[in-house]
Amino acid sequence: MDSEIMLGRIKRAGWTIVEEPEEAEVIVVNTCSFIEDAADESIEMILELAQYKKAGTCQRLVVAGCLPERYREEITKQMPEVDAFLGTGAYDQIVAAVEGANPAGGCLLPDPELNPAQDKDAPRALSESHMAYLKVAEGCSRHCTYCIIPKLRGKKRSRPPQEVIVEAQNLLDAGVKELVLVAQDTTSYGNDLKPKMNLSQLIESLAGLIVSPTRLHGAHVDGDAADHAWIRVLYGHPDSIDDAFIKTVATHPNVCSYFDIPIQHVSHPILKKMGRGYTREELRRLFDKIRLQVPDAVLRTTLILGFPGETERDFETLLRFIEDIRFDHLGVFLYSDSGDLPSHAFPDHVPAEVAQERYDQLMSCQLDISAQNYQKYIGQILEVLVEEEVEERLYAGRATFQAPEVDGMTYIKTSAGQPEAKTGSFVHIKVTDAMEYDLIGDSV
Ligand code: SF4
């Protein structure tokens, strides 16, 4: 999203965006440094792209985002090949950086909290035509001890609902078929606004855009699929998922019954040290409630393994919980240490090989769960959003229970005489086979 907005601003300033770095006069790298691996990857990418200044048309290299925000002046000294660094509060200065208006090697690090999160009219160069992330807030006011995000992005600032709605309408008008609502702590949206509001109120308004009579019967509607789009919510915090949100998801057919709720762990001593503020019993009650009120609910969660002090017993408790709840989707990270995190000071850091063994064990357990869960779809008719053509008569897409980038895919087979499945269109399939993380079916 930040990259799309920066690209949009650069385009509006008259620049042409090229795909290949060897053709570029200016290269912009938007970085992540949430965990050590991401920071390392960003650094590798910058050094690789810096080569184009020597052997290519590139005259300027700009680095934006979390990496300069986290490592500040230290990184500027280590990377003299970079012409400008922009922190997370300086995205709006991207055009000046691209045009060389700042001093060479300059590092712009304004306080992210003082920068408007994103204005509704910010031009956006969408990287996908059929789906778009829609940021509803920036920053986070929680204090998880393993997380650098509040330091990099500041306290949570919810975007005014009118701005989110205008942006959503623009995206829908541009043909987007899936709006993915995101923030660092999405389900606590709106409690910092005046007057306060909550995420379910915002979703009600957004769902109204999609089923409005204008979109259903207006002249711009192209066929029966054009009036339709999905809304999906990612990154709910267990503490802020309220009954209203669950009811809203249950009520609106355009809102995916998809609950992405990162829990990180379930062992009480670890949850306490992580600063997560809930118990295993509360989590169990929450998941039971969701499944009771939304019978087709799909649950996704994320875990951290190898947090300082995690014992074999803590891990066993977590493994039993995963076997018991049987999440539809599960993402697992290994704890990533850094001197600037409160968790760094905790005793009993877990050796990397122990954390890796636990990871392997957990993922093997989840592989079986996922494979068994997917069996239930065989023979069902599903709506699928088409993403790309893989080969002749075979397309890749996603069902409502598969989020972009993180979950599996649904493959669509068409037979001779059936129309092509266009990217961004909805098709119906009858599921014929299920793999561990993917489904396949015939277009019907
Ligand atoms: S809620 Fe998420 S973003 Fe906020 S501090 Fe915790 S892990 Fe980080």
Side-chain angles (χ1 to χ4, degrees):
M1 245 171 327
D2 295 328
S3 301
E4 290 178 352
I5 289 168
M6 282 194 285
L7 278 177
R9 287 183 193 275
I10 295 168
K11 262 175 100 170
R12 187 172 63 179
W15 290 77
T16 304
I17 309 298
V18 293
E19 295 286 325
E20 302 303 329
E22 56 268 27
E23 295 169 17
E25 278 173 47
V26 182
I27 295 178
V28 179
V29 190
N30 192 21
T31 58
C32 175
S33 69
F34 175 45
I35 54 174
E36 203 184 351
D37 282 355
D40 289 349
E41 240 176 69
S42 296
I43 291 168
E44 255 176 55
M45 177 61 71
I46 295 165
L47 296 177
E48 200 182 297
L49 291 169
Q51 297 306 316
Y52 291 96
K53 281 181 78 180
K54 290 186 196 145
T57 54
C58 179
Q59 291 156 23
R60 292 183 63 71
L61 178 58
V62 178
V63 172
C66 292
L67 192 76
E69 190 68 43
R70 187 166 189 176
Y71 299 105
R72 309 182 86 80
E73 278 75 16
E74 181 191 332
I75 198 106
T76 61
K77 286 188 207 122
Q78 287 173 12
M79 293 191 160
E81 48 281 88
V82 175
D83 297 282
F85 291 92
L86 304 181
T88 54
Y91 287 126
D92 58 338
Q93 299 184 48
I94 186 64
V95 174
V98 162
E99 294 179 348
N102 316 107
C107 194
L108 295 177
L109 296 166
D111 183 347
E113 283 183 30
L114 300 179
N115 197 28
Q118 177 188 328
D119 87 69
K120 66 181 187 318
D121 300 316
R124 196 167 157 181
L126 291 175
S127 49
E128 306 278 358
S129 59
H130 61 285
M131 63 79 52
Y133 293 98
L134 180 56
K135 194 185 279 187
V136 299
E138 181 61 279
C140 182
S141 301
R142 298 188 189 268
H143 304 282
C144 304
T145 56
Y146 54 83
C147 180
I148 195 71
I149 285 178
K151 208 166 157 188
L152 300 184
R153 300 268 170 172
K155 286 201 195 84
K156 184 186 69 186
R157 289 97 65 208
S158 298
R159 294 178 69 197
Q162 309 84 311
E163 288 210 358
V164 181
I165 291 165
V166 169
E167 191 182 1
Q169 184 68 71
N170 291 341
L171 292 168
L172 292 168
D173 288 345
V176 164
K177 296 294 180 188
E178 181 178 12
L179 294 173
V180 184
L181 274 49
V182 290
Q184 271 80 31
D185 178 6
T186 313
T187 41
S188 69
Y189 170 81
N191 60 7
D192 55 323
L193 290 171
K194 286 190 183 115
K196 283 187 183 193
M197 66 177 293
N198 60 32
L199 185 65
S200 51
Q201 290 168 303
L202 180 69
I203 296 174
E204 295 284 344
S205 303
L206 296 174
L209 296 178
I210 293 167
V211 296
S212 74
T214 325
R215 292 195 61 78
L216 281 175
H217 306 299
H220 65 288
V221 171
D222 170 24
D224 62 352
D227 54 15
H228 181 45
W230 293 342
I231 295 173
R232 183 188 303 280
V233 177
L234 295 185
Y235 317 132
H237 191 287
D239 264 353
S240 56
I241 293 180
D242 57 14
D243 290 352
F245 172 68
I246 298 173
K247 190 171 167 213
T248 301
V249 174
T251 312
H252 287 279
N254 281 337
V255 179
C256 300
S257 303
Y258 184 92
F259 291 83
D260 173 38
I261 309 173
I263 57 171
Q264 314 303 6
H265 217 286
V266 302
S267 166
H268 291 161
I270 299 295
L271 283 175
K272 197 158 179 229
K273 284 206 279 180
M274 284 180 159
R276 292 296 286 180
Y278 45 76
T279 65
R280 178 164 69 254
E281 293 71 26
E282 284 165 344
L283 289 175
R284 191 181 296 275
R285 282 198 290 278
L286 174 65
F287 295 130
D288 286 348
K289 180 158 73 176
I290 291 172
R291 283 184 163 148
L292 187 70
Q293 295 182 14
V294 190
D296 64 342
V298 163
L299 300 181
R300 176 181 175 84
T301 198
T302 316
L303 305 172
I304 295 174
L305 285 180
F307 188 81
E310 184 189 64
T311 61
E312 203 49 41
R313 193 166 164 197
D314 296 321
F315 173 66
E316 285 297 325
T317 306
L318 177 60
L319 191 59
R320 298 287 87 81
F321 189 86
I322 297 304
E323 287 170 342
D324 194 22
I325 298 290
R326 300 177 66 81
F327 289 95
D328 298 271
H329 305 288
L330 180 75
V332 182
F333 292 93
L334 297 183
Y335 170 72
S336 174
D337 193 40
S338 178
D340 54 2
L341 295 172
S343 54
H344 175 72
F346 294 157
D348 303 322
H349 281 231
V350 177
E353 60 278 12
V354 173
Q356 185 63 48
E357 274 170 31
R358 292 175 185 168
Y359 175 93
D360 294 342
Q361 204 180 334
L362 197 64
M363 289 315 281
S364 143
C365 163
Q366 180 61 24
L367 191 76
D368 293 342
I369 293 172
S370 177
Q372 288 161 20
N373 275 348
Y374 263 12
Q375 290 297 314
K376 69 173 178 266
Y377 294 113
I378 293 180
Q380 285 191 24
I381 306 282
L382 300 178
E383 181 179 66
V384 179
L385 178 58
V386 181
E387 297 218 301
E388 60 172 336
E389 182 174 4
V390 181
E391 58 187 61
E392 202 182 346
R393 306 209 172 287
L394 181 68
Y395 302 85
R398 288 179 293 101
T400 53
F401 48 81
Q402 294 168 320
E405 301 179 69
V406 287
D407 299 331
M409 304 295 292
T410 296
Y411 292 93
I412 308 142
K413 288 193 289 183
T414 59
S415 48
Q418 280 186 314
E420 271 179 51
K422 289 198 193 113
T423 297
S425 65
F426 289 107
V427 297
H428 285 89
I429 65 156
K430 182 166 188 182
V431 179
T432 53
D433 201 3
M435 291 145 275
E436 283 96 348
Y437 296 118
D438 300 315
L439 295 173
I440 187 158
D442 296 325
S443 173
V444 290

